[in-house]
Amino acid sequence: MFKKGERKHSTTSSLKQEHPEVQLHSTTPYPHRLNFYDVPPVFDVTLEEFESAALARLRILAEIESSFVRNRPHDELKTVTDGQCKKYLPLNANTASLADLQSERRTDHVGHFVLRLAFCRSEELRRRFVKAEMTLFRVRWDTDDTGERNAFLKSRSFGWEEVGAKEKEMYKEELMAVPSSIKQSELRSQSDSGQYYKVRWTRVPDLVEKRRVFLKGGWAYVPEREQSSIVFQEFQTNLEKALDMTAKALPRLDEDSRLIPILNNLSQGFLAGVPSEWLSSSSSSAEGSGVKAEEIDDLAKKHFPMCMRNLHESLTRDRHLKHMGRLQYGLFLKVLGVSIDEAITFWRRSFNKITDDKFNKEYRYNIRHSYGLEGRRANYPAKSCQQILTQEQPGPNESHGCPYRHFSEDNLQSALLASYSAQGLKTTDLPEIMHTVRAGHYHVACTRVFEITHSRGGVKKGEGVGGGESVTHPNQYAARSRELEKAKQEKAENDRDAMLVDG
């Protein structure tokens, strides 16, 4: 493994050998916010940067995939994606004088190429990666400054020819007859000089399919307002070719035991639709925040996601959980804010069919171990959705795992209604939820359940756990649920105080 701060000399040197022509480029600052990622990073990268840059980008791509599953219109997808980018992967314009532009663009550059390594391994991964990256590029294109976007276009050759005045006049009627994909009201606000660009029709198959261009002699006459289609198609074509090349070069990385586990984790997370563990200040500060053992049952009914509701109900019913169930639920409770003393009290009360001696010998040590008080005294984090979905699948008589993935359809629907009908979930909501389950997007199903059961608290469809973000961690679900309840209580108290003042 790399030590913290250790450099990846072997990876860097191989990239330099394969791309000697880009060494000058690597020493030049990133001039544009938009990037076609033509050349790989040929500078030293620490293992920490290697992983963190990839995880930041993976969060964005996973949320884009969630938007596809939820059939978000492009404007809503753009708003959600732009918000996620600002949160996890900011990429400011050149006019942002206070931002560290080169650092932001370096992170973006490194993250893209790491994910190429992770997602070039199968046709399915490559297809999904290209689609998500295409969408991210389009969102950045739409939100880019017009001047900087034009500078980016001038910085590279797209192989188009500007149509001269004589040729435009020759085909004036045909060009004017082509319908626009842009509404007239939107067209007025865009820069459109009436310029046309000529490219081979195979370069713009989407415009040809939609009859948005005039075709003549194998050439497509693309109006300026549709110029972006040429750019997007070029980006997609380049990326597809690059992924094929990366897949052929990947076997040379198999000997590097430092990188393969990271790449495997990234690709598994993308397949599961969940990028990584939930990263929030509340995830660390919650520990020891004062949740009492006797409060857990009430919290489970109000604020727990389905996986933890299932574990809690199984524990209540059977007065026991097997090892993996205890581990998954115990770490969740730890991050929820249950102290070690309260945890021991809770588990002892729950395991009320065994003697004190048996509990102390067989269970107390493991509880203390999960809190970092025994063994190697590691501070174990709670399991993320990705880990729950991809690790330690439940067997017979086991209750851990993700119900959306591991329950049969009938059992899942019954469990959802039994657990959340009091919070507003109805039978009519199930078809939409089950559609995402059948498609394998389990965290999207969980997110939709969160929206439905918190609609009384003001959560709207598509809002997720905030800003359109999907659930990626059970503690994220619980923390946001408790925040909404607290805000509702504070509002009620303020309203009462206001009524008393008015009275």
Side-chain angles (χ1 to χ4, degrees), residues 357-409:
D357 185 58
K358 182 178 177 65
F359 178 82
N360 290 333
K361 287 181 178 179
E362 299 183 16
Y363 301 105
R364 181 185 291 267
Y365 177 87
N366 287 335
I367 297 170
R368 289 177 55 80
H369 189 276
S370 66
Y371 277 75
L373 301 175
E374 300 289 354
R376 59 192 183 99
R377 300 182 182 275
N379 185 22
Y380 297 98
K383 289 185 176 294
S384 65
C385 291
Q386 176 186 334
Q387 291 171 315
I388 292 171
L389 285 166
T390 60
Q391 300 176 4
E392 295 101 14
Q393 305 304 295
N397 301 317
E398 291 186 311
S399 303
H400 65 281
C402 174
Y404 297 99
R405 177 177 182 180
H406 300 125
F407 279 20
S408 68
E409 288 195 12

Side-chain angles (χ1 to χ4, degrees), residues 26-189:
S26 67
T27 62
T28 305
Y30 299 97
H32 308 291
R33 180 172 176 263
L34 296 172
N35 193 341
F36 259 47
Y37 309 101
D38 298 300
V39 294
V42 290
F43 42 78
D44 287 344
V45 178
T46 66
L47 184 61
E48 182 179 3
E49 182 183 7
F50 183 90
E51 185 171 17
S52 63
L55 287 174
R57 193 179 196 87
L58 183 56
R59 279 191 165 274
I60 311 302
L61 301 188
E63 198 57 57
I64 288 173
E65 278 220 323
S66 296
S67 294
F68 293 153
V69 176
R70 306 187 74 168
N71 295 317
R72 283 184 169 129
H74 179 69
D75 287 345
E76 185 179 337
L77 181 151
K78 182 169 70 173
T79 300
V80 170
T81 303
D82 191 45
Q84 291 286 294
C85 287
K86 289 176 180 177
K87 185 175 181 180
Y88 298 111
L89 194 64
L91 205 61
N92 285 286
N94 292 335
T95 52
S97 57
L98 298 180
D100 187 351
L101 300 181
Q102 296 309 306
S103 177
E104 291 177 353
R105 294 172 187 183
R106 173 187 168 111
T107 299
D108 176 73
H109 191 205
V110 171
H112 173 87
F113 276 92
V114 175
L115 293 189
R116 271 195 197 179
L117 292 173
F119 302 145
C120 70
R121 302 173 171 210
S122 70
E123 184 177 345
E124 169 69 7
L125 278 171
R126 290 195 292 271
R127 181 188 64 78
R128 290 170 60 177
F129 180 65
V130 169
K131 185 177 180 181
E133 280 283 345
M134 270 286 297
T135 304
L136 177 59
F137 182 85
R138 183 178 177 185
V139 168
R140 288 175 171 172
W141 172 277
D142 290 343
T143 57
D144 203 20
D145 177 83
T146 302
E148 292 185 28
R149 187 167 59 203
N150 290 336
F152 167 75
L153 292 178
K154 292 177 182 178
S155 71
R156 56 183 302 116
S157 173
F158 286 95
W160 55 48
E161 297 179 21
E162 290 191 13
V163 179
K166 184 177 180 180
E167 195 171 4
K168 279 198 295 184
E169 183 63 29
M170 184 186 306
Y171 300 120
K172 180 178 179 180
E173 291 185 9
E174 291 88 343
L175 294 174
M176 294 297 294
V178 175
S180 172
S181 63
I182 304 175
K183 296 178 182 178
Q184 195 64 32
S185 58
E186 295 176 356
L187 187 58
R188 294 193 198 100
S189 64

Side-chain angles (χ1 to χ4, degrees), residues 166-393:
K166 184 177 180 180
E167 195 171 4
K168 279 198 295 184
E169 183 63 29
M170 184 186 306
Y171 300 120
K172 180 178 179 180
E173 291 185 9
E174 291 88 343
L175 294 174
M176 294 297 294
V178 175
S180 172
S181 63
I182 304 175
K183 296 178 182 178
Q184 195 64 32
S185 58
E186 295 176 356
L187 187 58
R188 294 193 198 100
S189 64
Q190 295 193 13
S191 173
D192 191 353
S193 62
Q195 180 62 53
Y196 285 81
Y197 301 89
K198 242 183 3 177
V199 295
R200 287 296 177 184
W201 71 269
T202 53
R203 295 274 305 280
V204 284
D206 58 326
L207 296 181
V208 174
E209 180 185 7
K210 297 174 183 177
R211 300 176 184 272
R212 302 295 189 194
V213 290
F214 167 58
L215 298 178
K216 182 70 175 179
W219 293 93
Y221 289 71
V222 182
E224 184 180 25
R225 62 178 177 270
E226 305 283 6
Q227 184 184 36
S228 59
S229 288
I230 305 175
V231 180
F232 298 158
Q233 186 64 35
E234 186 84 357
F235 180 89
Q236 179 175 336
T237 301
N238 287 359
L239 183 54
E240 288 172 343
K241 290 179 179 177
L243 284 169
D244 288 337
M245 293 177 62
T246 306
K248 293 174 183 177
L250 189 64
R252 281 178 279 176
L253 275 176
D254 286 344
E255 298 178 0
D256 197 331
S257 60
R258 302 164 295 181
L259 302 184
I260 295 302
I262 296 176
L263 298 177
N264 287 338
N265 183 60
L266 291 169
S267 59
Q268 285 178 358
F270 196 56
L271 286 171
V274 187
S276 64
E277 294 187 10
W278 173 50
L279 301 176
S280 170
S281 58
S282 60
S283 66
S284 57
S285 62
E287 295 183 27
S289 64
V291 175
K292 302 296 182 183
E294 59 269 19
E295 297 173 340
I296 294 175
D297 187 63
D298 186 55
L299 290 173
K301 295 174 182 177
K302 293 181 179 179
H303 305 298
F304 286 9
M306 191 64 213
C307 54
M308 299 305 161
R309 286 285 291 261
N310 177 56
L311 284 165
H312 184 80
E313 289 168 5
S314 297
L315 177 60
T316 302
R317 180 186 65 246
D318 301 331
R319 292 300 170 183
H320 187 266
L321 284 177
K322 290 195 172 183
H323 174 72
M324 293 309 303
R326 296 197 305 274
L327 182 62
Q328 181 176 319
Y329 193 36
L331 292 174
F332 168 82
L333 293 177
K334 170 189 170 185
V335 175
L336 185 72
V338 180
S339 68
I340 179 60
D341 292 335
E342 292 296 326
I344 291 175
T345 300
F346 169 75
W347 288 106
R348 181 67 194 98
R349 289 177 181 173
S350 300
F351 286 17
N352 59 9
K353 294 183 179 180
I354 63 175
T355 63
D356 287 340
D357 185 58
K358 182 178 177 65
F359 178 82
N360 290 333
K361 287 181 178 179
E362 299 183 16
Y363 301 105
R364 181 185 291 267
Y365 177 87
N366 287 335
I367 297 170
R368 289 177 55 80
H369 189 276
S370 66
Y371 277 75
L373 301 175
E374 300 289 354
R376 59 192 183 99
R377 300 182 182 275
N379 185 22
Y380 297 98
K383 289 185 176 294
S384 65
C385 291
Q386 176 186 334
Q387 291 171 315
I388 292 171
L389 285 166
T390 60
Q391 300 176 4
E392 295 101 14
Q393 305 304 295

